[in-house]
Amino acid sequence: MRNKDIMDYVHKHPGQDVMRLMLGVARGLEYLHSRPQPFVQSALQPSNILVNDRGEAVLADFGLAKTLDGPDA
């Protein structure tokens, strides 16, 4: 994404509402955990939180995530 990750975005746009971004992260996690096969994301970090063109936080990079119903659950 053009805005890159959340740390880069906040540094380049210091006037942004960080609490709104964090609320977006929380809502994304809530959604992932509410799925029939919830994701387990053990390594959430700023580089996994991108910012879209509307200035909204977007969770990304779930390549190593597991589902709770998966074989390793």
Side-chain angles (χ1 to χ4, degrees), residues 1 24-35 37-50 57-68 72:
M1 288 191 182
V25 172
R27 286 181 175 157
L29 289 172
E30 178 181 44
Y31 169 77
L32 289 174
H33 287 267
S34 72
R35 306 286 299 153
Q37 290 185 321
F39 282 89
V40 176
Q41 171 51 286
S42 61
L44 184 63
Q45 54 192 351
S47 62
N48 297 102
I49 305 168
L50 305 179
V58 177
L59 302 180
D61 194 14
F62 287 93
L64 298 176
K66 300 176 187 176
T67 62
L68 291 179
D72 296 329

Side-chain angles (χ1 to χ4, degrees), residues 8-27:
D8 189 65
Y9 183 77
V10 169
H11 283 110
K12 289 182 179 176
H13 303 90
Q16 292 301 307
D17 186 352
V18 175
M19 292 303 290
R20 185 177 66 84
L21 289 168
M22 292 296 97
L23 181 59
V25 172
R27 286 181 175 157

